[in-house]
Amino acid sequence: GTTSPAYTLDLLNTTGSSNLPFIRLNGGGNANNQVGIILNPFYNRTGGPSTQIWSIDDGNGSAHLLFGTAPTGRTTTLSERMRIKNDGSVALTNSLSVRSN
């Protein structure tokens, strides 16, 4: 922590040499459990969050990382746009699949 944060949540690790501040979000450990971060720069949206980054449990002890956005407009709903699977492959909403090494 810090006594004079620059933002509402400001993490600062000044102990040791690792300087690794992490936020841990734990799920229940079951298939399809999700944890994530909602980024909503316009709080008055009626369609829900405009942006989200989350992880979803695949039911096999690992997870996928997902990115979602909502189309323009206050009432639109968020959709998954990209998924990084646990094997490193990347899936985009236009059905293009790219594997990165």
Side-chain angles (χ1 to χ4, degrees):
T2 178
T3 57
S4 55
Y7 303 97
T8 303
L9 176 62
D10 196 347
L11 303 175
L12 175 64
N13 179 4
T14 59
T15 61
S17 60
S18 61
N19 194 21
L20 296 173
F22 285 99
I23 297 173
R24 174 184 268 176
L25 304 172
N26 288 328
N30 299 312
N32 298 316
N33 272 356
Q34 300 177 26
V35 295
I37 301 170
I38 294 173
L39 307 162
N40 208 26
F42 183 68
Y43 76 94
N44 244 355
R45 285 183 50 82
T46 57
S50 61
T51 338
Q52 184 172 319
I53 302 168
W54 72 104
S55 177
I56 185 169
D57 189 319
D58 69 355
N60 294 309
S62 56
H64 309 296
L65 183 62
L66 291 70
F67 296 83
T69 60
T72 301
R74 296 171 63 162
T75 61
T76 60
T77 55
L78 181 130
S79 296
E80 180 183 333
R81 305 296 183 188
M82 181 175 72
R83 178 180 293 223
I84 302 174
K85 295 183 172 186
N86 60 10
D87 65 1
S89 62
V90 176
L92 303 174
T93 56
N94 65 0
S95 301
L96 173 65
S97 185
V98 179
R99 182 177 177 94
S100 60
N101 294 325

